[in-house]
Amino acid sequence: MEDGQDLTDSHFQSLFWRFTLDVESCSNEFDVIVVGSGPAGATIARELSKRKKSVLILERGSNSLVKEGSLATAGILNTVSVSDNLVAARAFTTGGTTSLYFGVADFPPLDEFRALGIDLSRELEEAKGELPLAVVPDELLGAQSLRLRQSALELGYPWPKSHMLVDLAKCSTGYKSEAKWNARTWVEDAVGNGATLINRAKVRRVLFDGDQATGVEYEIPRAKNEVEVRQAYGAKVVLAAGGAASPVILKDSGMKSVVNSGFYCHPGFGLFGLIPGLKAKDSFTACMGPVLEDNIGIGDGNFPKAFYRMFMLGSKQWVRAFRHSSSIGIGVMIKEGLGGGLQENGRFRKEFTAEDTSKLKRGEEIARQILQNAGARDVYKAAPGASHVGGVLRINEHLDENLQTEYRDLYVCDGSVIPVSVKIAPTFTLICLGKYLANRLFPAAGNHMTGTRKSSSDMLAIAS
């Protein structure tokens, strides 16, 4: 699902060869070390490299381009267990999970962030002007998506369209995976501005001098299952490794307050029926659908053919895998509260409440009703999964309003800091938070924002 100019182009290829050399061959001290190259990390690296700051990006995955629905996708997929038989998927690659996402662009709720001392209004408007934003028109949607909407409306359910991070100019004749924005493109921008990208770099812990972060320790794979341990140093360290990864790095670095502090993961599943003669075609998944009362989300669950086939084969639905033209799908997801937590062993674990189970059941009933009304038969319920891990770190408890931890010069900017009350697709919010943090680390010319740090005792006082 990569977006932007193909890295086989000689210009970008030379840039990436230049900046993915061993760190031993270049400076090992940076203005900022960014751990992770997803939407937040890519944004921070891009913003600060434009301001002529030296930036090191450490990405756990490779820099390989992966085509949607290809077998190579398995090479970047990784899962995080959150409960019994329930996992959240993530991607280890340049651009992070935007290499696999649907492209939904929910805007951050400004009032909720203002209540936490964070004003994202300027960053939101700036991001709107820089990103491809669109509501996908009907002519670019498949017959299955249009039939699903018709059925939902007939039954009295709202079926609004979502804003998508999609460049419509790249899909004038129909769905194109490369039309979706990918954080990889902003990593390319950062590298073009002089940032250093090191792939296959797994950060083990943050390095400190007293209560001040000074760098990170990471490992690089070598031959015969061996790893080489390295250290890099920076005036600022930003963990943007993902909602499930940054808390683990903090725990392993000695920040014990993240253990058992609770998290959310938005569990859900897909239902897929068959309508003979439907003539379904590739379409933008999650382009429509409402969040109903009790935070029950239902929406378009129609995958493009290549992804659909891979998904069904992985689910051992051998015959269904080759019936994409007759398939119609709907997704169900609930947005639950905080619970469980990151345990001492580094694993996430939570038990869902009876209320959560009831909401999932209600969502399934509504979804089946919509499919049945659309004419679907032979409905298959896919195995449940979780959307993402979030909410482990709380602003004004674990972090101050500048996203700084109890340690000086150590910041976190990824899904782990998005509050449980912000019940939206996280990508656009992470981009805005990335811009916000960049403006506090090293303000752009004419921007006099500062990042005054609250002490840990101040944050605890606020939390109490």
Side-chain angles (χ1 to χ4, degrees), residues 25 71 73 82 87 109 120 138 180 210 225 248 300-301 375 428 435:
S25 65
L71 292 177
T73 302
V82 296
V87 299
L120 295 179
D138 283 2
K180 287 183 281 189
N225 297 319
V248 175
D300 188 289
F428 208 95
K435 285 180 171 288

Side-chain angles (χ1 to χ4, degrees), residues 64-118:
S64 300
L65 286 166
V66 177
K67 186 177 180 180
E68 178 180 87
S70 69
L71 292 177
T73 302
I76 68 171
L77 271 176
N78 183 269
T79 57
V80 178
S81 177
V82 296
S83 187
D84 291 338
N85 303 315
L86 190 68
V87 299
R90 57 184 178 179
F92 288 160
T93 185
T94 302
T97 306
T98 59
S99 297
L100 298 173
Y101 79 145
F102 297 141
V104 178
D106 291 333
F107 298 152
L110 298 182
D111 288 343
E112 293 190 51
F113 278 101
R114 284 195 188 102
L116 297 170
I118 294 177

Side-chain angles (χ1 to χ4, degrees), residues 128-322:
K128 284 181 179 179
E130 294 179 341
L131 292 163
L133 280 172
V135 173
V136 181
D138 283 2
E139 54 265 30
L140 297 182
L141 299 177
Q144 68 277 39
S145 294
L146 300 179
R147 179 75 71 90
L148 194 69
R149 179 181 64 186
Q150 178 185 353
S151 177
L153 293 176
E154 287 175 353
L155 294 171
Y157 296 108
W159 210 253
K161 287 188 174 181
S162 303
H163 283 91
M164 307 287 285
L165 285 165
V166 170
D167 185 348
L168 294 181
K170 294 182 179 181
C171 53
S172 57
T173 60
Y175 172 84
K176 298 290 182 183
S177 62
E178 57 268 25
K180 287 183 281 189
W181 178 83
N182 188 319
R184 176 188 291 268
T185 62
W186 281 14
V187 176
E188 293 170 9
D189 289 346
V191 170
N193 291 327
T196 300
L197 169 67
I198 299 180
N199 287 94
R200 302 187 186 279
K202 180 182 178 181
V203 172
R204 304 169 79 176
R205 64 188 179 99
V206 180
L207 304 175
F208 297 101
D209 181 4
D211 68 347
Q212 182 176 13
T214 58
V216 297
E217 181 178 273
Y218 65 100
E219 59 185 48
I220 294 286
R222 291 303 186 200
K224 299 180 180 179
N225 297 319
E226 296 179 350
V227 297
E228 177 184 345
V229 178
R230 296 175 175 176
Q231 295 181 339
Y233 299 91
K236 311 284 185 183
V237 176
V238 179
L239 299 183
S246 290
V248 175
I249 295 172
L250 289 174
K251 181 190 75 68
D252 292 343
S253 302
M255 189 170 167
K256 300 302 182 184
S257 60
V258 302
V259 175
N260 293 321
S261 62
F263 69 95
Y264 61 82
C265 62
H266 297 169
F269 48 83
L271 296 169
F272 301 89
L274 296 172
I275 303 177
L278 180 60
K279 297 182 180 180
K281 65 178 185 180
D282 285 353
S283 195
F284 287 93
T285 313
C287 61
M288 294 184 281
V291 176
L292 304 175
E293 60 181 359
D294 294 328
N295 287 310
I296 300 172
I298 55 174
D300 188 289
N302 293 293
F303 300 147
K305 183 177 180 179
F307 189 88
Y308 171 86
R309 180 168 295 175
M310 183 181 71
F311 179 85
M312 289 300 172
L313 289 174
S315 302
K316 299 182 179 180
Q317 295 293 304
W318 315 117
V319 175
R320 193 182 295 268
F322 296 92

